Amino acid sequence: MVHHQFAALGDPTRLAIVERLARGPTSAGDLAAPTTLSLPAVLKHVRVLEEAGLVTTVKRGRVRECRLRDDALVAVATWTAQQQALWSTRLDALGTLLEDT
Amino acid sequence: MVHHQFAALGDPTRLAIVERLARGPTSAGDLAAPTTLSLPAVLKHVRVLEEAGLVTTVKRGRVRECRLRDDALVAVATWTAQQQALWSTRLDALGTLLEDT
DNA sequence: CTGATGGTGAACCATATGGTTTACTGTTCC
DNA sequence: GGAACAGTAAACCATATGGTTCACCATCAG
């Protein structure tokens, strides 16, 4: 169900969160700090990313640590590669067809 | 602005359209046929894909031919690779750090 | 010419989404 | 214990989204 991941990454705020998290884990508060959004808003986004299987969070004391899942983007990467492969082989087939005629 | 592409691919109907189109171009009607949706609905989705730079369409006579752009998925692929690279090098760094201590 | 076909535009509708504020809980620190 | 802090839950709001139907236009086939 890769479209969940795409949908999650489709929001600019969430995309930024993932980019941030790719540099290393942080607290929810630190994710909110650079933005103009409220903490609750950011936390909602984090939840969406969690449900899409892109992010995991743990609560340590009163702070919630967010980290990118190791396997976060493999589904996206493989889907993309697959479609590109399909499309390019089709283009190749068309190319050789044109050569032959 | 890769989040436009992600957003476009985030809808299951549109994802299916792209997968269909990766096998080769078709008319809008042919895209709608296998679904339960109305033609106008499908055409709206095609427009979204067009604006995201994933698909191009031309009108031939009374039928609109839709095809996947050759460079449709490169932005998605490169973004994904980039983030994976960042994240994995960070994991590596952590690994060697743990080894050293 | 006429009828059927493929697509388009517009109006409309229900629901999902992204955001807010406010009040509350649980931790940490002095 | 009490103040400040990080997060959470809930209620609420505006707008975006995904869908419909209906009327209409343009093209192809007979």
Side-chain angles (χ1 to χ4, degrees):
Chain A
M1 305 305 172
V2 75
H3 76 264
H4 282 76
Q5 268 128 327
F6 281 129
L9 297 171
D11 178 89
T13 310
R14 285 192 297 262
L15 193 71
I17 290 180
V18 169
E19 288 172 347
R20 172 63 237 284
L21 254 32
R23 264 92 179 176
T26 32
S27 69
D30 283 0
L31 285 178
T35 76
T36 71
L37 291 80
S38 63
L39 225 211
V42 170
L43 245 81
K44 276 204 216 172
H45 284 298
V46 171
R47 286 283 150 81
V48 174
L49 290 169
E50 246 182 309
E51 270 155 32
L54 296 173
V55 160
T56 58
T57 73
V58 234
K59 192 143 181 195
R60 290 229 163 76
R62 64 181 167 180
V63 20
R64 175 167 298 272
E65 186 178 281
C66 310
R67 77 165 48 228
L68 195 59
R69 284 187 54 161
D70 295 12
D71 60 349
L73 299 173
V74 304
V76 169
T78 54
W79 181 90
T80 307
Q82 232 172 306
Q83 303 308 315
Q84 277 182 321
L86 275 178
W87 185 227
S88 62
T89 57
R90 211 212 141 263
L91 287 182
D92 288 354
L94 182 63
T96 53
L97 182 69
L98 288 180
E99 271 175 29
D100 292 358
T101 55
Chain B
M1 305 303 177
V2 74
H3 77 262
H4 282 73
Q5 269 128 325
F6 282 129
L9 297 171
D11 179 271
T13 311
R14 285 193 297 261
L15 194 71
I17 291 180
V18 169
E19 286 171 350
R20 171 65 237 283
L21 254 31
R23 266 93 179 174
T26 32
S27 70
D30 283 0
L31 285 178
T35 76
T36 71
L37 292 80
S38 63
L39 224 212
V42 171
L43 243 75
K44 276 203 216 173
H45 283 299
V46 171
R47 286 285 149 82
V48 174
L49 290 169
E50 248 182 309
E51 270 155 31
L54 296 173
V55 160
T56 59
T57 73
V58 232
K59 192 142 184 197
R60 288 225 162 76
R62 65 180 166 181
V63 24
R64 176 167 297 274
E65 186 179 280
C66 310
R67 78 165 45 227
L68 195 59
R69 284 188 53 160
D70 295 11
D71 60 349
L73 299 174
V74 304
V76 169
T78 55
W79 181 90
T80 307
Q82 230 172 306
Q83 303 307 317
Q84 277 183 321
L86 275 178
W87 185 226
S88 62
T89 58
R90 211 212 141 264
L91 286 181
D92 288 353
L94 182 65
T96 53
L97 182 69
L98 288 180
E99 272 175 28
D100 292 358
T101 56

